[in-house]
PDB file of all heavy atoms in Angstrom:
ATOM      1  N   SER A 349     177.818 -57.084  18.045  1.00  0.00           N
ATOM      2  CA  SER A 349     178.426 -57.576  16.805  1.00  0.00           C
ATOM      3  C   SER A 349     179.500 -58.619  17.123  1.00  0.00           C
ATOM      4  O   SER A 349     180.041 -58.655  18.228  1.00  0.00           O
ATOM      5  CB  SER A 349     179.055 -56.418  16.033  1.00  0.00           C
ATOM      6  OG  SER A 349     179.818 -55.612  16.906  1.00  0.00           O
ATOM      7  N   LEU A 350     179.764 -59.463  16.127  1.00  0.00           N
ATOM      8  CA  LEU A 350     180.772 -60.524  16.264  1.00  0.00           C
ATOM      9  C   LEU A 350     181.969 -60.194  15.370  1.00  0.00           C
ATOM     10  O   LEU A 350     181.796 -59.805  14.215  1.00  0.00           O
ATOM     11  CB  LEU A 350     180.202 -61.874  15.813  1.00  0.00           C
ATOM     12  CG  LEU A 350     178.918 -62.363  16.471  1.00  0.00           C
ATOM     13  CD1 LEU A 350     178.528 -63.726  15.898  1.00  0.00           C
ATOM     14  CD2 LEU A 350     179.089 -62.477  17.970  1.00  0.00           C
ATOM     15  N   TRP A 351     183.164 -60.423  15.897  1.00  0.00           N
ATOM     16  CA  TRP A 351     184.387 -60.099  15.165  1.00  0.00           C
ATOM     17  C   TRP A 351     185.365 -61.258  15.274  1.00  0.00           C
ATOM     18  O   TRP A 351     185.459 -61.907  16.322  1.00  0.00           O
ATOM     19  CB  TRP A 351     185.036 -58.847  15.761  1.00  0.00           C
ATOM     20  CG  TRP A 351     184.135 -57.648  15.808  1.00  0.00           C
ATOM     21  CD1 TRP A 351     183.132 -57.410  16.703  1.00  0.00           C
ATOM     22  CD2 TRP A 351     184.128 -56.540  14.907  1.00  0.00           C
ATOM     23  NE1 TRP A 351     182.510 -56.216  16.416  1.00  0.00           N
ATOM     24  CE2 TRP A 351     183.111 -55.654  15.321  1.00  0.00           C
ATOM     25  CE3 TRP A 351     184.901 -56.191  13.796  1.00  0.00           C
ATOM     26  CZ2 TRP A 351     182.829 -54.464  14.669  1.00  0.00           C
ATOM     27  CZ3 TRP A 351     184.631 -55.000  13.146  1.00  0.00           C
ATOM     28  CH2 TRP A 351     183.606 -54.149  13.580  1.00  0.00           C
ATOM     29  N   ALA A 352     186.129 -61.478  14.212  1.00  0.00           N
ATOM     30  CA  ALA A 352     187.210 -62.475  14.276  1.00  0.00           C
ATOM     31  C   ALA A 352     188.330 -61.938  15.172  1.00  0.00           C
ATOM     32  O   ALA A 352     188.427 -60.721  15.378  1.00  0.00           O
ATOM     33  CB  ALA A 352     187.750 -62.731  12.868  1.00  0.00           C
ATOM     34  N   LEU A 353     189.168 -62.831  15.679  1.00  0.00           N
ATOM     35  CA  LEU A 353     190.305 -62.355  16.492  1.00  0.00           C
ATOM     36  C   LEU A 353     191.119 -61.327  15.709  1.00  0.00           C
ATOM     37  O   LEU A 353     191.588 -60.332  16.251  1.00  0.00           O
ATOM     38  CB  LEU A 353     191.224 -63.533  16.868  1.00  0.00           C
ATOM     39  CG  LEU A 353     190.690 -64.563  17.871  1.00  0.00           C
ATOM     40  CD1 LEU A 353     191.769 -65.590  18.182  1.00  0.00           C
ATOM     41  CD2 LEU A 353     190.190 -63.916  19.154  1.00  0.00           C
ATOM     42  N   GLU A 354     191.271 -61.585  14.409  1.00  0.00           N
ATOM     43  CA  GLU A 354     192.078 -60.696  13.563  1.00  0.00           C
ATOM     44  C   GLU A 354     191.431 -59.329  13.387  1.00  0.00           C
ATOM     45  O   GLU A 354     192.072 -58.398  12.888  1.00  0.00           O
ATOM     46  CB  GLU A 354     192.291 -61.332  12.187  1.00  0.00           C
ATOM     47  CG  GLU A 354     193.191 -62.564  12.202  1.00  0.00           C
ATOM     48  CD  GLU A 354     192.483 -63.821  12.704  1.00  0.00           C
ATOM     49  OE1 GLU A 354     191.262 -63.750  13.008  1.00  0.00           O
ATOM     50  OE2 GLU A 354     193.138 -64.870  12.798  1.00  0.00           O
ATOM     51  N   GLU A 355     190.168 -59.215  13.769  1.00  0.00           N
ATOM     52  CA  GLU A 355     189.463 -57.938  13.616  1.00  0.00           C
ATOM     53  C   GLU A 355     189.381 -57.156  14.930  1.00  0.00           C
ATOM     54  O   GLU A 355     188.581 -56.223  15.056  1.00  0.00           O
ATOM     55  CB  GLU A 355     188.042 -58.207  13.091  1.00  0.00           C
ATOM     56  CG  GLU A 355     188.033 -58.809  11.697  1.00  0.00           C
ATOM     57  CD  GLU A 355     186.667 -59.361  11.298  1.00  0.00           C
ATOM     58  OE1 GLU A 355     185.901 -59.774  12.190  1.00  0.00           O
ATOM     59  OE2 GLU A 355     186.390 -59.386  10.099  1.00  0.00           O
ATOM     60  N   VAL A 356     190.230 -57.537  15.875  1.00  0.00           N
ATOM     61  CA  VAL A 356     190.118 -56.921  17.200  1.00  0.00           C
ATOM     62  C   VAL A 356     190.308 -55.400  17.151  1.00  0.00           C
ATOM     63  O   VAL A 356     189.681 -54.660  17.906  1.00  0.00           O
ATOM     64  CB  VAL A 356     191.091 -57.605  18.198  1.00  0.00           C
ATOM     65  CG1 VAL A 356     192.539 -57.406  17.805  1.00  0.00           C
ATOM     66  CG2 VAL A 356     190.852 -57.112  19.612  1.00  0.00           C
ATOM     67  N   LYS A 357     191.162 -54.944  16.229  1.00  0.00           N
ATOM     68  CA  LYS A 357     191.377 -53.487  16.157  1.00  0.00           C
ATOM     69  C   LYS A 357     190.097 -52.772  15.726  1.00  0.00           C
ATOM     70  O   LYS A 357     189.727 -51.740  16.286  1.00  0.00           O
ATOM     71  CB  LYS A 357     192.472 -53.155  15.138  1.00  0.00           C
ATOM     72  CG  LYS A 357     193.824 -53.733  15.461  1.00  0.00           C
ATOM     73  CD  LYS A 357     194.786 -53.427  14.335  1.00  0.00           C
ATOM     74  CE  LYS A 357     196.048 -54.240  14.500  1.00  0.00           C
ATOM     75  NZ  LYS A 357     197.021 -53.949  13.451  1.00  0.00           N
ATOM     76  N   GLU A 358     189.454 -53.320  14.713  1.00  0.00           N
ATOM     77  CA  GLU A 358     188.222 -52.684  14.230  1.00  0.00           C
ATOM     78  C   GLU A 358     187.130 -52.764  15.299  1.00  0.00           C
ATOM     79  O   GLU A 358     186.333 -51.837  15.463  1.00  0.00           O
ATOM     80  CB  GLU A 358     187.734 -53.360  12.947  1.00  0.00           C
ATOM     81  CG  GLU A 358     188.608 -53.075  11.744  1.00  0.00           C
ATOM     82  CD  GLU A 358     189.712 -54.089  11.575  1.00  0.00           C
ATOM     83  OE1 GLU A 358     190.100 -54.737  12.577  1.00  0.00           O
ATOM     84  OE2 GLU A 358     190.202 -54.241  10.454  1.00  0.00           O
ATOM     85  N   ALA A 359     187.116 -53.877  16.021  1.00  0.00           N
ATOM     86  CA  ALA A 359     186.119 -54.028  17.089  1.00  0.00           C
ATOM     87  C   ALA A 359     186.339 -52.944  18.143  1.00  0.00           C
ATOM     88  O   ALA A 359     185.401 -52.274  18.586  1.00  0.00           O
ATOM     89  CB  ALA A 359     186.213 -55.418  17.694  1.00  0.00           C
ATOM     90  N   MET A 360     187.606 -52.772  18.544  1.00  0.00           N
ATOM     91  CA  MET A 360     187.897 -51.732  19.548  1.00  0.00           C
ATOM     92  C   MET A 360     187.567 -50.349  19.011  1.00  0.00           C
ATOM     93  O   MET A 360     187.083 -49.484  19.749  1.00  0.00           O
ATOM     94  CB  MET A 360     189.361 -51.797  19.960  1.00  0.00           C
ATOM     95  CG  MET A 360     189.658 -52.895  20.948  1.00  0.00           C
ATOM     96  SD  MET A 360     191.255 -52.585  21.716  1.00  0.00           S
ATOM     97  CE  MET A 360     191.258 -53.855  22.977  1.00  0.00           C
ATOM     98  N   GLN A 361     187.835 -50.154  17.722  1.00  0.00           N
ATOM     99  CA  GLN A 361     187.537 -48.840  17.135  1.00  0.00           C
ATOM    100  C   GLN A 361     186.044 -48.536  17.251  1.00  0.00           C
ATOM    101  O   GLN A 361     185.639 -47.402  17.477  1.00  0.00           O
ATOM    102  CB  GLN A 361     187.970 -48.814  15.663  1.00  0.00           C
ATOM    103  CG  GLN A 361     187.824 -47.454  14.999  1.00  0.00           C
ATOM    104  CD  GLN A 361     188.767 -46.400  15.605  1.00  0.00           C
ATOM    105  OE1 GLN A 361     189.962 -46.642  15.703  1.00  0.00           O
ATOM    106  NE2 GLN A 361     188.216 -45.272  16.027  1.00  0.00           N
ATOM    107  N   ARG A 362     185.222 -49.577  17.104  1.00  0.00           N
ATOM    108  CA  ARG A 362     183.767 -49.375  17.212  1.00  0.00           C
ATOM    109  C   ARG A 362     183.395 -48.833  18.598  1.00  0.00           C
ATOM    110  O   ARG A 362     182.494 -48.011  18.729  1.00  0.00           O
ATOM    111  CB  ARG A 362     183.049 -50.698  16.919  1.00  0.00           C
ATOM    112  CG  ARG A 362     181.527 -50.591  16.906  1.00  0.00           C
ATOM    113  CD  ARG A 362     180.926 -51.844  16.284  1.00  0.00           C
ATOM    114  NE  ARG A 362     179.498 -51.932  16.434  1.00  0.00           N
ATOM    115  CZ  ARG A 362     178.604 -51.339  15.625  1.00  0.00           C
ATOM    116  NH1 ARG A 362     179.021 -50.614  14.612  1.00  0.00           N
ATOM    117  NH2 ARG A 362     177.314 -51.482  15.831  1.00  0.00           N
ATOM    118  N   ILE A 363     184.082 -49.305  19.617  1.00  0.00           N
ATOM    119  CA  ILE A 363     183.789 -48.771  20.967  1.00  0.00           C
ATOM    120  C   ILE A 363     184.324 -47.345  21.089  1.00  0.00           C
ATOM    121  O   ILE A 363     183.640 -46.459  21.597  1.00  0.00           O
ATOM    122  CB  ILE A 363     184.367 -49.673  22.084  1.00  0.00           C
ATOM    123  CG1 ILE A 363     183.801 -51.092  21.971  1.00  0.00           C
ATOM    124  CG2 ILE A 363     184.057 -49.077  23.450  1.00  0.00           C
ATOM    125  CD1 ILE A 363     184.185 -52.012  23.106  1.00  0.00           C
ATOM    126  N   HIS A 364     185.564 -47.124  20.585  1.00  0.00           N
ATOM    127  CA  HIS A 364     186.085 -45.742  20.613  1.00  0.00           C
ATOM    128  C   HIS A 364     185.096 -44.794  19.948  1.00  0.00           C
ATOM    129  O   HIS A 364     184.902 -43.669  20.389  1.00  0.00           O
ATOM    130  CB  HIS A 364     187.423 -45.661  19.860  1.00  0.00           C
ATOM    131  CG  HIS A 364     188.605 -46.104  20.666  1.00  0.00           C
ATOM    132  ND1 HIS A 364     189.014 -45.468  21.809  1.00  0.00           N
ATOM    133  CD2 HIS A 364     189.492 -47.125  20.490  1.00  0.00           C
ATOM    134  CE1 HIS A 364     190.089 -46.059  22.305  1.00  0.00           C
ATOM    135  NE2 HIS A 364     190.402 -47.076  21.523  1.00  0.00           N
ATOM    136  N   ASP A 365     184.485 -45.261  18.856  1.00  0.00           N
ATOM    137  CA  ASP A 365     183.547 -44.416  18.094  1.00  0.00           C
ATOM    138  C   ASP A 365     182.159 -44.360  18.733  1.00  0.00           C
ATOM    139  O   ASP A 365     181.227 -43.808  18.138  1.00  0.00           O
ATOM    140  CB  ASP A 365     183.398 -44.963  16.656  1.00  0.00           C
ATOM    141  CG  ASP A 365     184.683 -44.822  15.867  1.00  0.00           C
ATOM    142  OD1 ASP A 365     185.550 -44.040  16.286  1.00  0.00           O
ATOM    143  OD2 ASP A 365     184.825 -45.525  14.840  1.00  0.00           O
TER     144      ASP A 365
END
Side-chain angles (χ1 to χ4, degrees):
S349 46
L350 305 181
W351 304 77
L353 290 184
E354 291 78 2
E355 295 167 332
V356 64
K357 298 176 192 181
E358 289 90 336
M360 281 196 172
Q361 185 66 52
R362 184 166 170 84
I363 302 186
H364 279 297
D365 293 343

